[in-house]
Amino acid sequence: MTTLIINIKELLQVRDAAILKVSGAEMAVLPTINNAYLVIQNELISDFGSMEDLPNINPEKCIDADGKIVLPSWCDSHTHIVYAGNREQEFVDRINGLTYEEIANRGGGILNSARKLNETSESELYDQSKFRLEEVMRLGTGAVEIKSGYGLTVEGELKMLRVIQRLAQNYPITIKATFLGAHAFPSEFKENHQGYIDLIINEMLPAIAKEKLADFIDVFCETGYFTVAETQEIIKAGISFGLKPKIHVNQFNSIGGIQVGVRQEALSVDHLEVMTVNDLESLKNTTTMPVALPSCSYFLSIPYAPAREMIAAGLPLALATDYNPGSTPSGNMNFVVATACIKMKMTPEEAINAATINGAYAMGISETHGSITIGKKANLIITKPIPSYYQLPYAFGSNLIDTVFIEGKIVA
């Protein structure tokens, strides 16, 4: 099946195959072609260029994109979209003055979601989660990482990871699975942290490895959750089972989690709302991708990751949604890109780079996703007719997407 897209007003994120991420000043550069064409062969990009160089081909399908912009689909490298129920009441509690930490201390937060998840069947959990997955696909996301972490029991964590695996089998979108058993300490282990860590290492990890249910391991390294030492112990155990680290760090405090991530060659360190000079220095010249989650900051009214400081330090930066029931009940990457521009003062070029090629890197898939490159997946967004790609963050409340392709097929 050959699909030809012609008269593209502007084709964004045109890259050589060797470029897997962009850093520092490079993030302000977004290579484009005006008045372009693009050829899809089955599920891959097979050719693209200027309309004046259009080859003579006979496609099965031809799309006229006159006035429209084409860019790679979003790569969302940090989500928790497999969960049960919602936490609407906590949303209202925060409006009435309670903090995230106060809600957690009285049994809300992650523990609230864990109770609901363990009361929900695997079949029902799948049905709730597939609805969210279908929604983010329609919103232009073509690859997504999904974490466990609302089970906090052996069976609960396995249930979540099996649902993630089933979603990956049933939908064309690329899904990466992350084991986040170290999301919080269950109530029964409140005074016995080592007991829960032993459960993660001795029971959860072997079972996950046996069923090949995860690609990555993650830990919530934060005051009141997992200490630096606990994080390192869990991460090292995950590595021994073949899982690459990704870490929740610096959401509320800087306690040394970034340094653990760098030492253990974490693929990404995520949140980063609170950053010190030492944290910035620690990330320089590493293979670890910093990931910011601006819609979490928006929803919780907490500081935003200091994007300008990170880019000025020569670092790369990715953007993701953090889609979850407690702090970001949205998987809309279009809103993430807009919020990064409006609140974090990222340029549209930087934000698009962060949400495509760098997002792909933060999932370990930048060889197949994240840019317009021959041989990569034909995961594309075709916008409605718009004046320029600046309109994407500028008109933050509008749906500017006309068509989404995932693996060469239009998402209904």
Side-chain angles (χ1 to χ4, degrees):
M1 173 73 179
T2 301
T3 301
L4 172 64
I5 306 173
I6 59 171
N7 299 322
I8 301 167
K9 180 175 183 175
E10 192 167 9
L11 182 62
L12 306 186
Q13 193 58 289
V14 176
R15 297 281 182 182
D16 181 87
I19 297 173
L20 302 181
K21 64 175 179 178
V22 289
S23 307
E26 296 171 346
M27 290 194 63
V29 179
L30 186 65
T32 71
I33 300 174
N34 292 315
N35 190 27
Y37 73 90
L38 184 143
V39 181
I40 300 169
Q41 189 70 43
N42 297 320
E43 77 274 12
L44 303 178
I45 297 168
S46 64
D47 192 18
F48 60 84
S50 173
M51 280 297 293
E52 63 187 29
D53 299 321
L54 178 65
N56 185 20
I57 57 174
N58 294 304
E60 283 87 347
K61 187 179 183 68
C62 184
I63 296 172
D64 190 341
D66 185 41
K68 302 174 182 180
I69 288 170
V70 174
L71 66 155
S73 62
W74 309 124
C75 296
D76 188 354
S77 67
H78 184 128
T79 82
H80 308 251
I81 66 176
V82 171
Y83 63 82
N86 62 67
R87 291 188 354 225
E88 293 172 351
Q89 184 56 52
E90 294 177 13
F91 170 64
V92 178
D93 289 342
R94 278 199 307 278
I95 292 171
N96 288 323
L98 290 182
T99 66
Y100 185 87
E101 292 91 337
E102 286 170 337
I103 291 168
N105 288 338
R106 67 178 199 174
I110 295 165
L111 297 184
N112 184 4
S113 287
R115 279 193 298 273
K116 290 176 180 175
L117 186 128
N118 284 301
E119 293 167 358
T120 303
S121 71
E122 187 172 318
S123 176
E124 173 59 23
L125 183 63
Y126 175 84
D127 288 340
Q128 290 185 32
S129 301
K130 74 176 184 180
F131 172 82
R132 301 180 197 112
L133 184 66
E134 290 167 2
E135 180 188 39
V136 302
M137 289 168 64
R138 290 192 298 270
L139 289 168
T141 294
V144 64
E145 180 259 22
I146 307 175
K147 303 178 190 292
S148 69
Y150 292 130
L152 307 185
T153 61
V154 176
E155 279 310 310
E157 290 295 307
L158 290 173
K159 181 184 354 184
M160 290 189 75
L161 290 165
R162 287 171 185 144
V163 167
I164 296 168
Q165 185 181 68
R166 188 174 160 199
L167 290 169
Q169 291 168 345
N170 292 344
Y171 287 88
I173 185 171
T174 295
I175 295 175
K176 289 291 187 176
T178 299
F179 168 53
L180 180 58
H183 202 187
F185 286 99
S187 300
E188 59 269 33
F189 289 98
K190 187 176 182 180
E191 306 301 329
N192 179 18
H193 285 193
Q194 192 58 48
Y196 184 59
I197 292 168
D198 290 344
L199 185 72
I200 290 172
I201 294 172
N202 299 326
E203 295 190 43
M204 293 184 189
L205 278 170
I208 290 163
K210 183 179 180 181
E211 293 188 44
K212 298 180 180 177
L213 291 174
D215 304 290
F216 308 119
I217 185 165
D218 197 346
V219 178
F220 188 11
C221 182
E222 181 57 74
T223 302
Y225 292 86
F226 290 82
T227 67
V228 169
E230 290 166 345
T231 297
Q232 181 154 300
E233 182 180 2
I234 295 163
I235 289 297
K236 282 186 171 181
I239 291 170
S240 74
F241 282 96
L243 303 182
K244 184 80 172 173
K246 292 166 71 74
I247 313 180
H248 282 61
V249 286
N250 291 50
Q251 183 173 6
F252 303 109
N253 301 279
S254 174
I255 62 172
I258 285 175
Q259 289 71 27
V260 170
V262 169
R263 283 198 302 272
Q264 301 302 325
E265 299 183 335
L267 181 59
S268 71
V269 286
D270 303 30
H271 272 291
L272 313 180
E273 289 87 347
V274 177
M275 293 288 281
T276 67
V277 173
N278 185 45
D279 293 329
L280 293 172
E281 287 295 321
S282 296
L283 285 166
K284 288 182 179 180
N285 303 312
T286 73
T287 57
T288 299
M289 176 65 69
V291 178
L293 311 170
S295 48
C296 175
S297 297
Y298 173 87
F299 193 75
L300 292 182
S301 298
I302 61 176
Y304 289 82
R308 293 265 49 96
E309 287 88 336
M310 287 191 271
I311 293 170
L315 299 177
L317 184 62
L319 292 169
T321 64
D322 194 24
Y323 193 176
N324 75 82
S327 62
T328 322
S330 168
N332 190 341
M333 281 292 288
N334 306 283
F335 178 75
V336 167
V337 167
T339 305
C341 294
I342 296 163
K343 294 296 187 181
M344 295 165 61
K345 304 304 180 187
M346 295 178 73
T347 66
E349 292 83 0
E350 290 168 341
I352 291 169
N353 276 324
T356 55
I357 194 165
N358 283 3
Y361 181 94
M363 281 186 272
I365 58 170
S366 47
E367 291 185 355
T368 52
H369 294 72
S371 66
I372 302 299
T373 302
I374 291 174
K376 284 195 176 186
K377 296 286 187 183
N379 289 7
L380 309 167
I381 294 169
I382 303 178
T383 71
K384 296 173 182 176
I386 55 177
S388 77
Y389 62 82
Y390 289 174
Q391 192 81 3
L392 295 173
Y394 170 73
F396 69 91
S398 299
N399 180 3
L400 300 178
I401 295 175
D402 181 46
T403 308
V404 176
F405 278 84
I406 295 181
E407 300 211 342
K409 294 181 180 177
I410 293 175
V411 174

